[in-house]
């Protein structure tokens, strides 16, 4: 039997998202996390990316056994791929801390899958085959985040997923520093550490630094006070609603993802807001603007979000007025900058006070990820034999390596594998193993607010699905459709192509006949793409690549 | 006769670039600046934007006279549109400070236009019709930057274009604070102030804060020390070459734009580097890596730049080695982030030490734009009756307005016009006038390193020029072409379409048969687009929209 432990990332090294890790020992496999990746602007017509489980399927087929999966926390890039991946794998036990398990089960239920994630307490060992795991509490931007101590016949490994060391967190729940130190004292072979903040010197600011700016702004606001943040940032929601209570504002939640996350958190006893202080969004007209705090989903400028619809004047319950204040209490996820700044610019044009991360004199968001000092602090507590950065781009991995060297590690003890490269821990050393191919695997959701359908596909098949380019002329000032759109369909039967070229102008008419013309081209492009995709799926059950080109005239 | 002064921006309000301003009094027109705009990722197939001079052409046709143009400084977004705009206008005198005039004339010569920009000293009045202008020295990221004092029959206006207040600039040339104060004491009607840094609290760091980090890094570097910055950042070049001299490194310049800017600066006596310490790039092999400092053009990740070619292993004189250090001494211009980070990630993957703006523990670049304190300081020196932010996005204009209110201005005295809106200064007040349409005007350069041709066009004509979509399958690991590309041509005669679909695969073969396969998809897309555009222009003298879609398999 192979006496070594092999470690590999199925989401690829050199990326922040798509977290999924395989620990193999002998015949057994332990999995950590199962997260989505987010598409950027260059991935035309794609919604999400998945970890590539080809290698996993192969070794399972060859007779290896998945003994279990542990999930570190409830963010999409750590557990959002479960509904897509689990149906492809044999059954095995899955454990997570309480809130993480509740969110993940909720996610599975959305896709009509059984709620198989088992909640498990912090600090208690879970035995799965030859492995054992233990969740240690760390602070992050979502409750119940864990680092995982993994004991194996080849030694102890510390899976240090996303974290910060907030010494004054809003919910007073402190990182289990003593627990981490105790594991370190037992002797750790390798610390797998997140490295997103490795480029930033110093400590990441504590959440408590946000209380004063929020309170000052809310006190001075004479209209609605509107906050957008990640739906799962429960402590931020508690922090801001406490201020609202003090200043006699009622709280409303706008947007499905947000209401869902708050619902799950409430069941877990994590929401401090009293039921009396919350109002349903339909009844906000019964209150003066100055009596309202609204949390709105869509901090990343997503085209379907409540926030984008509110700003574009398309939301049925929430209309903006001049006295309103909007706070972006979240950093842009790389790739979303242009969508977010389009919203901020539109609000500025309307004369609405908008607060966001580039305004440096007040802070309305702090990162959930530790900076250099915290990454060094984790090294100092764990004192592992080897370091290996995970969940970061190549430049962040390189910055982490420099940190390790500053700490005193020898270059050869800081492992920076290539994407798909196995890292093999033997009884007395470590070396790189095979490099398996890690492909990009894409998921598209044909979606409105409801998930109606999803397509799991290889990018290879896109050209088989067809390509449709649509060239639209739009009046630059008014945002209205000008002239007849040009449609180019490729990869369809002639009859179908003709049909498509006929019905697309009608689909566009519908998009453009909405109440209010839009001059945000990104938003418009996405609306067009989505309307066309829906129609094509309805007609042909196909998902071609739709490329809308907007020409301003 | 109209006794009012009218002010309007032809580049549009709400944008940082495309600076061009019209001051009208009676029958006379004074112009300030004539700058390019930069295209972002959403403007498929476009290189640059121009100010829209339709309004100017109209009033000239109606009998108004352009009495002169003054240029504030030599950055592309303030003078880069001259070769495109001047040929459309009648003759009038154009003045700029010495280095600005030299750069602008060099630019005109590139397009075979006469060198009509007249150098004019700081502090001396220029009379042009009923206007007079005076250049005041301010610090910025290019030598000889000016603010302009404009005297008119309706009072004094202060045109406060791009600046920072660097109290310890590397070249020791200080802002003319006393001159600014003296103008303020005369009574200024309106301060037109740049506002790019209005979101940042405090002062922008001085250039002298960069000396120590550069010296430390260069001393520790055992390979080539490579710096990329804006070509026109002459003081940065002097600052770093002085360190190189101390540490016995010879200096080479790589990239046409950079060599041109340095050449112009040297003629102006602005380059401190001794001729003996400079070496031509062809002879760098005669030196050890540790004896070299190279300045390389391409800090924005431009696809044709020397830097991109070096990193992709395609430069004939410069090859990277493991000991080299690359410093990005420039901030990303919004829209360029993805191209720049692709380069940084590639370098990190190769194990090359790369220093860039997200690394917070060392600074290798400071902004050329003032932050809040400097914008407030300018208000305090000028003490104008009205404020009007220019050269910023809507959110930066909104932030500037908040600064003005903090300073003590009444809301109604801070003018924030819409795009295309005239601002009319009467003898005793101000009001908004007509809103003229400001369209987007695009320029495309069919270019290699040489400017071979440019096309000035209305976006309206794109669909008339045709659209070509190319779907290419590329091996994700190796970057090599896989399978036959699909080509969709629209808007061409059937015969031409067939011809295009035949020759494009050959063009692609050429792109992919280069020495080294590339896995940077952005770079690849741009290379494909460019190669296809060149071929199409050669064959048909047409510039269709070329949309390469890269599919990783």
């Amino acid at each position: 039997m192979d006496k070594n432990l092999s470690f590999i990332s199925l989401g690829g090294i050199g990326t922040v998202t798509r977290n999924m890790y395989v620990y193999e020992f002998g015949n057994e496999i332990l999995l950590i996390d199962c997260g989505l990746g987010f598409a950027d602007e260059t991935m035309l017509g794609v919604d999400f990316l998945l970890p590539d489980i080809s290698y996993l399927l192969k070794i399972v087929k060859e007779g290896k056994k998945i003994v279990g999966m542990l999930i570190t926390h409830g963010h999409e890039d750590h557990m959002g791929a479960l509904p897509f991946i689990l149906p492809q794998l044999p059954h095995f036990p899955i454990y997570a801390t309480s809130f993480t398990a509740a969110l993940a089960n909720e996610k599975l239920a959305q896709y009509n899958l059984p709620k198989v994630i088992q909640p498990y307490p912090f600090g208690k060992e879970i035995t799965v085959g030859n492995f054992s795991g233990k969740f240690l509490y760390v602070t992050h931007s979502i409750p119940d985040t864990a680092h995982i101590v993994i004991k194996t016949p080849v030694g102890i490994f510390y899976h240090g997923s996303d974290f910060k060391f907030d010494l004054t967190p809003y919910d007073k729940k402190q990182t289990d520093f003593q627990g981490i130190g105790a594991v370190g004292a037992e002797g750790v072979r390798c610390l797998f550490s997140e490295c997103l903040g490795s480029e930033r010197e110093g400590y990441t600011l504590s959440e408590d630094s946000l209380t004063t700016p929020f309170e000052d702004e809310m006190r001075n606001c004479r209209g609605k006070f509107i906050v957008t943040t990640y739906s799962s940032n429960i402590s931020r929601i508690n922090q801001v609603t406490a201020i609202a209570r003090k200043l006699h504002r009622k709280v409303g939640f706008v947007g499905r993802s947000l209401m869902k996350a708050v619902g799950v958190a409430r069941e877990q006893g994590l929401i401090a807001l009293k039921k009396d202080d919350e109002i349903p969004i339909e009844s906000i007209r019964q209150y003066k603007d100055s009596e309202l705090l609204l949390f709105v989903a869509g901090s990343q400028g997503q085209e379907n979000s409540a926030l984008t619809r509110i700003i574009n004047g398309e939301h049925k319950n929430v209309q903006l007025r001049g006295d309103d204040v909007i706070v972006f209490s979240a950093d842009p996820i790389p790739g979303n900058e242009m969508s977010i700044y389009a919203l901020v610019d539109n609000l500025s044009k309307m004369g609405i006070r908008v607060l966001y991360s580039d305004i440096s004199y007040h802070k309305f968001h702090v990162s959930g990820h530790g900076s250099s000092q915290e990454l060094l602090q984790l090294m100092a507590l764990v004192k592992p034999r080897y370091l290996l950065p995970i969940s970061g781009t190549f430049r962040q991995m390189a910055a982490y390596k420099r940190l390790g060297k500053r700490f005193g590690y020898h270059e050869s003890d800081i492992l920076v594998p290539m994407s798909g490269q196995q890292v093999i821990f033997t009884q007395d050393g470590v070396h790189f193993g095979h490099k398996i191919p890690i492909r990009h695997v894409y998921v598209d959701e044909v979606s409105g607010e409801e998930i109606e359908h999803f397509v799991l596909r290889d990018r290879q098949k896109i050209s088989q699905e067809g390509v449709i380019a649509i060239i639209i002329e739009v009046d630059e000032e008014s945002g209205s459709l000008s002239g007849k759109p040009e449609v180019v369909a490729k990869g369809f039967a002639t009859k179908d192509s003709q049909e498509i070229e006929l019905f697309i102008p009608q689909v566009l008419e519908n998009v453009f006949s909405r109440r209010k013309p839009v001059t945000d081209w990104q938003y418009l492009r996405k609306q067009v793409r989505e309307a066309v995709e829906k129609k094509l799926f309805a007609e042909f059950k196909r998902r071609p690549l739709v490329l809308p080109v907007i020409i301003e005239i």
Side-chain angles (χ1 to χ4, degrees), chain A:
Chain A
M1 197 180 94
D2 190 354
K3 287 287 183 48
N4 300 329
L5 182 115
S6 145
F7 171 88
I8 194 163
S9 159
L10 301 184
I13 287 286
T15 172
V16 174
T17 59
R18 268 185 289 153
N19 286 281
M20 186 168 185
Y21 303 92
V22 178
Y23 288 76
E24 277 172 77
F25 179 78
N27 211 32
E28 295 183 349
I29 302 161
L30 174 68
L31 300 174
I32 307 281
D33 287 346
C34 187
L36 288 177
F38 307 117
D40 65 41
E41 276 285 304
T42 65
M43 298 173 187
L44 297 162
V46 164
D47 292 330
F48 297 116
L49 289 90
L50 295 183
D52 178 7
I53 58 168
S54 318
Y55 170 75
L56 188 60
L57 291 172
K58 179 176 150 280
I59 58 175
V60 166
K61 205 174 159 193
E62 288 166 2
K64 293 212 177 187
K65 189 179 175 224
I66 304 174
V67 293
M69 179 191 280
L70 307 176
I71 303 174
T72 58
H73 64 290
H75 278 153
E76 291 287 343
D77 56 339
H78 289 260
M79 66 85 181
L82 286 169
F84 309 99
I85 301 274
L86 287 190
Q88 303 181 63
L89 297 176
H91 179 78
F92 49 84
I94 309 177
Y95 302 97
T97 61
S98 177
F99 184 53
T100 309
L103 280 177
N105 281 327
E106 179 66 32
K107 181 109 195 157
L108 290 170
Q110 264 179 275
Y111 288 81
N112 299 313
L113 294 170
K115 297 181 167 186
V116 293
I117 319 297
Q118 304 175 46
Y120 207 88
F122 282 98
K124 205 175 139 190
E125 280 201 0
I126 313 162
T127 301
V128 277
N130 277 300
F131 298 96
S132 88
K134 186 162 74 174
F135 294 123
L136 294 181
Y137 192 94
V138 291
T139 44
H140 185 39
S141 48
I142 184 169
D144 277 9
T145 298
H147 279 177
I148 303 180
V149 181
I150 300 165
K151 293 194 178 169
T152 80
V154 191
I156 302 172
F157 294 82
Y158 189 99
H159 196 92
S161 195
D162 302 5
F163 77 104
K164 68 189 286 189
F165 285 153
D166 192 337
L167 302 175
T168 50
Y170 183 76
D171 61 10
K172 310 288 184 213
K173 289 184 196 150
Q174 282 275 5
T175 295
D176 182 5
F177 288 108
Q178 295 173 350
I180 300 172
V183 172
E186 286 184 62
V188 168
R189 288 297 300 280
C190 186
L191 163 60
F192 302 98
S193 173
E194 77 130 315
C195 61
L196 187 82
S198 55
E199 298 162 318
R200 295 191 301 254
E201 190 67 338
Y203 269 93
T204 299
L205 280 178
S206 168
E207 286 175 31
D208 73 356
S209 65
L210 305 179
T211 300
T212 307
F214 266 109
E215 186 166 338
D216 287 351
E217 280 293 335
M218 205 186 292
R219 197 184 299 278
N220 291 329
C221 169
R222 286 176 303 177
K224 296 187 282 296
F225 196 82
I226 297 174
V227 176
T228 183
T229 185
Y230 310 113
S231 297
S232 59
N233 199 336
I234 301 302
S235 94
R236 187 74 43 85
I237 290 169
N238 283 327
Q239 188 171 16
V240 180
T241 53
I243 300 167
R245 183 173 171 78
K246 188 167 157 187
L247 299 175
H248 311 294
R249 286 182 187 254
K250 297 288 179 190
V251 180
F253 295 97
V254 192
R256 274 173 66 92
S257 61
L258 186 61
M259 288 163 74
K260 195 162 287 172
V262 170
V264 173
R266 180 169 276 134
E267 282 167 20
Q268 297 279 317
L270 295 171
I271 296 289
L273 178 69
K274 299 217 170 82
K275 259 290 171 197
D276 285 356
D277 289 335
E278 184 179 340
I279 55 167
I281 197 63
E282 296 74 21
S283 57
I284 63 166
R285 287 206 183 74
Q286 299 168 20
Y287 297 85
K288 281 190 253 170
D289 279 2
S290 60
E291 294 169 350
L292 291 170
L293 162 66
L294 302 181
F295 282 96
V296 177
S299 66
Q300 297 302 311
Q302 302 94 317
E303 75 266 37
N304 284 314
S305 71
L307 183 66
T308 299
R309 283 181 288 126
I310 289 171
I311 293 173
N312 284 291
E314 295 183 347
H315 197 278
K316 69 171 186 290
N317 293 309
V318 185
Q319 280 84 40
L320 293 181
R321 299 205 182 83
D323 281 342
D324 296 342
V325 171
I326 296 195
V327 182
F328 282 76
S329 183
D331 279 329
I333 293 174
N336 294 340
E337 292 90 348
M338 291 188 59
S339 312
I340 296 171
Y341 286 134
L343 295 181
V344 173
D345 260 1
N346 271 344
L347 289 166
S348 301
K349 223 187 285 190
M350 292 155 69
I352 305 262
R353 182 166 174 84
V354 49
L355 302 160
Y356 51 100
S357 61
D358 283 353
I359 297 188
S360 70
Y361 53 91
H362 277 334
K363 279 275 174 204
F364 295 94
H365 176 63
V366 289
S367 172
H369 296 270
S371 303
S372 299
Q373 289 302 306
E374 288 145 285
L375 296 169
L376 288 166
Q377 178 72 67
L378 184 61
M379 285 179 211
L381 281 163
V382 177
K383 281 202 178 150
R385 176 75 183 81
Y386 301 105
L387 297 173
L388 194 155
I390 56 175
S391 298
T393 60
F394 284 108
R395 62 178 192 277
Q396 289 155 349
M397 293 170 79
Y400 186 84
K401 186 172 181 176
R402 289 200 288 274
L403 278 182
K405 283 158 80 177
R406 275 168 64 189
F407 188 86
Y409 277 90
H410 190 271
E411 178 131 16
S412 62
D413 293 337
I414 309 167
L415 311 167
V416 182
M418 289 283 107
S419 182
Q421 189 147 42
Q422 279 185 307
V423 185
I424 314 242
F425 295 90
T426 61
Q427 293 298 329
D428 49 10
V430 65
H431 60 269
F432 289 140
H434 289 298
K435 201 162 162 303
I436 64 166
I438 299 284
R439 296 164 316 147
H440 281 177
V441 181
Y442 298 87
V443 191
D444 288 339
E445 291 181 342
V446 181
S447 63
E449 283 231 336
E450 301 286 344
I451 296 160
E452 289 158 12
H453 186 84
F454 68 87
V455 186
L456 216 173
R457 66 181 176 185
D458 227 274
R459 196 75 198 236
Q460 209 164 353
K461 294 187 196 120
I462 288 181
S463 43
Q464 292 159 28
E465 294 264 323
V467 177
I468 296 177
I470 306 169
I471 297 115
I472 311 162
E473 298 182 336
V474 176
D475 184 84
E476 192 186 358
E477 286 284 312
S478 71
S480 61
L481 194 60
S482 181
K484 199 177 157 295
E486 299 254 351
V487 179
V488 185
K490 177 84 183 176
F492 290 83
T494 316
K495 198 185 119 289
D496 291 349
S497 288
Q498 286 165 350
E499 198 185 324
I500 288 168
E501 290 173 25
L502 277 176
F503 73 58
I504 283 181
Q506 186 54 50
V507 173
L508 295 180
E509 284 289 336
N510 291 341
V511 172
F512 281 86
S513 67
R514 284 156 180 269
R515 277 154 296 161
K516 214 185 134 191
V518 167
T519 55
D520 173 345
W521 307 138
Q522 279 224 322
Y523 181 60
L524 198 53
R525 258 168 73 194
K526 287 175 176 170
Q527 280 191 317
V528 166
R529 174 165 83 84
E530 190 158 290
V532 171
E533 281 178 345
K534 263 191 154 163
K535 177 75 176 173
L536 285 166
F537 190 76
E539 296 284 326
F540 299 102
K541 295 279 172 281
R542 277 172 75 173
R543 283 277 281 156
L545 190 60
V546 177
L547 298 170
V549 179
I550 307 245
I551 296 173
E552 304 154 51
I553 63 165

